[in-house]
Amino acid sequence: KKKSGSSTAQQDSTSYPASSSSISKDDENPARSAIATSTRSPQQRPNAGQRALEDMRRQQAEKKDAELRKVRELLDADQQVQEAAAAIPERVAQRMGARMLPFVGLPFFLGMGVFVGFWYMATYRNLEYQPALVAASTIVVLLLGLVGITYSILSASWDPDREGSLLGTDEFSKNIENIRDGLKRSRENAILRDKMAGLTSEE
C-alpha cells in the first residue's frame, strides 16, 4: 500500500509540471499567437486589392445588366413595329398639310410670278435681261419653296393632342431634338444588333 500510494503521488507530482510546462510554452511564445491572429486577419478583412476587384466585378455586372436591358427594349420595340405598322397620325398629317399651304404655296407662286414678270417686261417693255439673272431669280424662289416644305413638316406639332403655335418655332426646335435622339438610338441599336447577331435566342 505504501508503494502504491507513493507511486500515485509521484504520478500526480509528475502530471502537474507537464501542465505547467504547457502553460509556460504558451506564455513564453506570445509571438506565435500574434502570428496566428495576423494570418487570420486578412481573411476576415479584405484588403485594398480585394475591394478594387469587387468594385470592378460590380461595375462589369452593372454594365452587362444595362446592355441586357437595352436588348430587351430593342426586342420589345421590334415586336411592336411588327404588330402595328408605323404611320403618321391623321391629325398630324392634316396639320402638316395645312402648314404647307403658306410655306410652300407662297414661294412657288412667287417664283412663277417672277418668271412671268421677266417675260412681260421683255415682251411689252422691250427690256432685255440676262438669261442667267432670270434663271437665278426663279431657282432661288423655288429653293425657298423646298425649304418651306421642310419647315412646314418640322414646325408642325407631332403630338396629336397639341396644336402648336402659329409659326412653330418651339415645335421646330423640339422636333429637331427628337430627330437627333432618334438617330442616336438608331446607332446604338445597330451596335446591339451586331452583338446579337452571333447569339442564340436563349442567350
Side-chain angles (χ1 to χ4, degrees):
K1 290 180 180 179
K2 290 180 181 179
K3 290 181 180 180
S4 62
S6 62
S7 63
T8 54
Q10 288 177 358
Q11 290 178 358
D12 295 337
S13 63
T14 55
S15 62
Y16 289 112
S19 61
S20 63
S21 63
S22 62
I23 295 172
S24 63
K25 287 180 181 179
D26 293 335
D27 295 335
E28 291 176 356
N29 295 323
R32 183 181 297 175
S33 61
I35 293 172
T37 55
S38 63
T39 54
R40 288 195 299 269
S41 59
Q43 296 177 357
Q44 296 175 358
R45 294 181 299 174
N47 55 14
Q50 291 177 350
R51 288 196 297 270
L53 182 61
E54 291 176 357
D55 292 339
M56 184 176 65
R57 289 177 178 175
R58 185 174 64 255
Q59 291 176 1
Q60 290 178 355
E62 291 176 355
K63 183 179 180 181
K64 186 175 181 180
D65 292 338
E67 290 180 355
L68 292 175
R69 184 168 59 253
K70 290 181 180 180
V71 169
R72 287 193 294 268
E73 292 176 356
L74 179 60
L75 293 176
D76 294 338
D78 291 340
Q79 186 176 1
Q80 291 178 0
V81 170
Q82 292 177 359
E83 292 177 355
I88 299 176
E90 184 178 358
R91 296 183 64 180
V92 177
Q94 292 177 355
R95 194 177 298 145
M96 291 179 180
R99 295 183 71 85
M100 283 184 185
L101 292 177
F103 289 106
V104 180
L106 290 178
F108 178 77
F109 288 110
L110 181 60
M112 296 297 296
V114 169
F115 182 78
V116 172
F118 279 117
W119 172 80
Y120 177 81
M121 297 299 291
T123 303
Y124 294 99
R125 300 294 182 181
N126 295 324
L127 297 177
E128 295 182 359
Y129 298 97
Q130 293 294 329
L133 178 61
V134 178
S137 301
T138 307
I139 290 173
V140 167
V141 177
L142 292 178
L143 288 176
L144 290 176
L146 294 177
V147 173
I149 293 175
T150 305
Y151 185 77
S152 61
I153 294 174
L154 295 178
S155 63
S157 177
W158 292 356
D159 187 359
D161 298 330
R162 185 173 177 272
E163 291 296 330
S165 60
L166 181 61
L167 296 178
T169 54
D170 295 336
E171 288 78 9
F172 180 81
S173 60
K174 183 178 180 180
N175 293 334
I176 291 294
E177 290 295 330
N178 292 333
I179 292 174
R180 290 177 180 175
D181 293 339
L183 294 175
K184 183 179 179 180
R185 286 194 301 269
S186 298
R187 289 193 295 267
E188 293 177 353
N189 292 339
I191 295 173
L192 288 176
R193 292 180 191 279
D194 293 338
K195 293 181 179 180
M196 293 167 55
L199 299 178
T200 61
S201 59
E202 295 179 356
E203 294 177 346

